[in-house]
Structures are given as structure tokens and as C-alpha cells.
Amino acid sequence: MLDNNSLKAIGRVDVLIFPTGGPPQTLDLNEAVALWDNMKPGVVIPMHFLSPKLLFPKYGKEDLLQLRRMQF
């Protein structure tokens, strides 16, 4: 996770591409949503999530979107 100094150094983010499949390879869903909230990008592109062709991740894109919808 990025601290406030890192977020400030990065500045405005238009597009955020981040791994969301779950530990140990990628971010946990709560970490992914926290990063999304902290960076406030215009566009979010999740990657490395569970799909018919990628079976090692723990979470699918629907899991991230479900968690994200619950916060609005």
C-alpha cells in the first residue's frame, strides 16, 4: 500500500491498472478498494483476476465490483 507521501509524489492519476486477484500474488479486495479510493483515478482497470483462462487468483472481477458497489 502507498503512504500519503507516495500518493502526493505520484499526484493525479487518470488511469489506475492494478492486480486484484487476491493474496499472495496480488492485492486483497479491501486493499484494492483502498488504493482506488486513495488515488481517485478517472478510469480503473483491474487485472490478474479469476477468469476461465486464469485460474490461480482467488477473486474475480465481480467480487471487486460487488465490494465497490457496497461502498456507494
Side-chain angles (χ1 to χ4, degrees):
M1 293 306 297
L2 300 172
D3 61 23
N4 286 336
N5 289 332
S6 298
L7 290 170
K8 188 181 278 190
I10 292 170
R12 182 172 177 239
V13 174
D14 293 322
V15 178
L16 176 63
I17 301 172
F18 61 121
T20 61
Q25 295 90 353
T26 64
L27 297 174
D28 183 78
L29 289 180
N30 290 323
E31 293 172 328
V33 170
L35 184 62
W36 186 341
D37 288 342
N38 288 332
M39 298 195 87
K40 298 175 179 57
V43 175
V44 173
I45 302 172
M47 61 181 196
H48 296 150
F49 51 82
L50 183 66
S51 72
K53 293 187 177 185
L54 188 60
L55 301 176
F56 72 84
K58 183 176 179 179
Y59 305 115
K61 66 179 186 244
E62 295 81 14
D63 298 310
L64 175 65
L65 294 174
Q66 181 67 26
L67 183 61
R68 188 64 197 165
R69 281 187 201 113
M70 291 181 349
Q71 292 192 350
F72 287 107

